Amino acid sequence: MSPSIKAREFPHRHLLGIAELNEADITQILDLSETLRGINERPIKKVPTLRGRTVINLFLENSTRTRTSFEIAGKRMSADTINISGSGSSASKGETMLDTARNLMAMNPDVIIIRHQASGTPALIAQHVSCAVINAGDGTHEHPTQALLDCATIRKHKGVPGQGLKDLEIAIVGDIDHSRVARSNIMAMTKLGARLCLCGPATLMPRDVEGLAGPEASERVRVCYRLEEALEGADVVMMLRIQNERLGAGATRFANTREYSRYFGLNRNTLSLAKPDAIVMHPGPINRGVEMMPDIADSMRSVILDQVAYGVAVRMATLYLLGGGSFGES
Ligand code: ASP
């Protein structure tokens, strides 16, 4: 049994959001993902850690990366993973989420992973089931495993060992208002000691967004409305997609995509304002040519595919901690 893996009992039954985690919890997940990452690079990418456990991926909103990544994470740890999507489930026949969850629970899974367009759904389900629940993105609320994989990626590229993300300057740019990725990252990154600049059109900036970081960290979050200002001196630049699907039919918060791209799109000129070794991130899917020019997405500065790779490791770590995994035990 690896001592680093069993060193601390994880004090949570579910992973519903970053809000409920403290620095030690986040660091534990990141450290464990570092340990597990190597499994993904072996020729035989499988360990018996979650053998006999059942993991249900209940994805009622579209997903490419997160769903695949959770499925791969479960399979690489030998769990039986089952995928349910919106169109193939009884949700499309009018079944309530609670009925769906109760029926799945009757089959005795160990973990249910939920993505849903309504904020709060995973928390609701967690109150009615006896297995662990992981939030894989709920509406505009939280996307905790995305924030964890983002922090793991930044820590690897920019962190000083043992210091988390202390004093790193991180710019998060785009549709902050509708982004669950931004919300979870504001909490996770400030808990790890980073300083954030949130940038986007005023119409896509939530009110009192600094407050998301909590009273002790709110002075480490600033808001600005000019991309140039946000990028100046940044160690990390994270670009976000406009969440058109959450704006409402026909609604718009800016004149047009071309204008948005002109003022808030990351290109070679604007990126030159960041530190010369700044990394560029995006949670995907990228709208190439809108929030980020293709040459930047494909450049040496981009760590976007590292984020995806860390996604598997972080999800393995979460499944291990919440699904009752064991190393070296029979
Ligand atoms: N994939 C991320 C999410 O599910 C970001 C995005 O869709 O823009 O929130």
Side-chain angles (χ1 to χ4, degrees):
M1 181 191 320
S2 157
S4 63
I5 284 172
K6 283 288 178 188
R8 177 183 189 261
E9 210 56 53
F10 191 64
H12 302 276
R13 202 171 127 227
H14 308 290
L15 177 59
L16 301 175
I18 298 293
E20 71 216 27
L21 304 183
N22 62 25
E23 186 188 350
D25 301 331
I26 297 173
T27 305
Q28 183 177 10
I29 299 173
L30 301 193
D31 289 348
L32 182 54
S33 22
E34 271 317 325
T35 309
L36 299 178
R37 207 163 68 102
I39 295 168
N40 299 310
E41 278 142 32
R42 294 180 191 165
I44 297 175
K45 303 169 190 61
K46 211 170 184 72
V47 290
T49 315
L50 290 176
R51 193 171 48 201
R53 310 289 156 131
T54 304
V55 175
I56 297 182
N57 256 332
L58 178 57
F59 274 62
L60 300 178
E61 194 192 58
N62 294 345
S63 172
T64 303
R65 276 153 292 270
T66 309
R67 198 183 50 162
T68 314
S69 170
F70 266 117
E71 185 179 356
I72 289 179
K75 289 197 158 129
R76 291 198 175 153
M77 302 187 93
S78 301
D80 296 312
T81 59
I82 288 94
N83 293 320
I84 305 172
S85 65
S87 56
S89 77
S90 290
S92 63
K93 297 185 189 170
E95 186 171 63
T96 67
M97 263 314 286
L98 276 184
D99 278 336
T100 303
R102 286 194 186 109
N103 280 272
L104 294 176
M105 203 53 227
M107 299 178 215
N108 212 13
D110 298 283
V111 183
I112 301 183
I113 299 159
I114 303 175
R115 166 165 291 197
H116 200 278
Q117 71 276 10
S119 300
T121 304
L124 175 74
I125 301 303
Q127 288 167 18
H128 291 86
V129 296
S130 53
C131 67
V133 173
I134 299 179
N135 178 3
D138 60 331
T140 57
H141 175 230
E142 278 229 43
H143 194 348
T145 55
Q146 177 71 47
L148 291 165
L149 73 89
D150 290 336
C151 290
T153 309
I154 297 172
R155 206 175 71 152
K156 157 91 184 318
H157 285 274
K158 295 270 140 210
V160 174
Q163 303 259 307
L165 307 185
K166 197 162 178 291
D167 293 337
L168 288 176
E169 299 283 347
I170 303 177
I172 305 183
V173 182
D175 180 359
I176 310 285
D177 198 15
H178 300 99
S179 173
R180 54 196 178 201
V181 174
R183 289 174 71 87
S184 289
N185 264 320
I186 292 166
M187 292 185 257
M189 291 169 174
T190 51
K191 284 176 188 190
L192 294 180
R195 280 197 291 268
L196 305 191
C197 181
L198 309 175
C199 176
T203 48
L204 290 174
M205 191 64 71
R207 258 186 233 158
D208 303 325
V209 67
E210 300 92 334
L212 271 179
E216 296 116 59
S218 59
E219 82 282 355
R220 268 188 272 127
V221 180
R222 69 191 167 93
V223 172
C224 68
Y225 302 104
R226 283 184 59 247
L227 180 63
E228 291 75 9
E229 193 191 325
L231 296 185
E232 192 116 26
D235 297 289
V236 177
V237 181
M238 177 179 289
M239 303 305 291
L240 300 173
R241 178 179 70 89
I242 305 278
Q243 307 272 298
N244 284 312
E245 72 276 29
R246 301 191 207 286
L247 291 179
T252 178
R253 303 264 190 113
F254 47 89
N256 58 50
T257 307
R258 225 169 67 200
E259 189 181 86
Y260 176 86
S261 179
R262 181 160 156 234
Y263 288 102
F264 294 99
L266 187 64
N267 58 36
R268 245 185 261 177
N269 290 341
T270 44
L271 183 57
S272 69
L273 297 167
K275 292 212 178 113
D277 59 349
I279 54 171
V280 174
M281 305 177 73
H282 195 301
I286 305 173
N287 285 165
R288 284 174 179 254
V290 181
E291 69 270 16
M292 189 183 289
M293 296 312 124
D295 60 330
I296 301 293
D298 302 328
S299 72
M300 298 293 287
R301 311 277 288 274
S302 161
V303 297
I304 295 169
L305 297 180
D306 280 11
Q307 291 174 260
V308 179
Y310 261 113
V312 177
V314 158
R315 286 166 183 133
M316 285 167 86
T318 349
L319 286 175
Y320 173 84
L321 293 170
L322 300 177
S326 60
F327 276 90
E329 295 161 342
S330 58

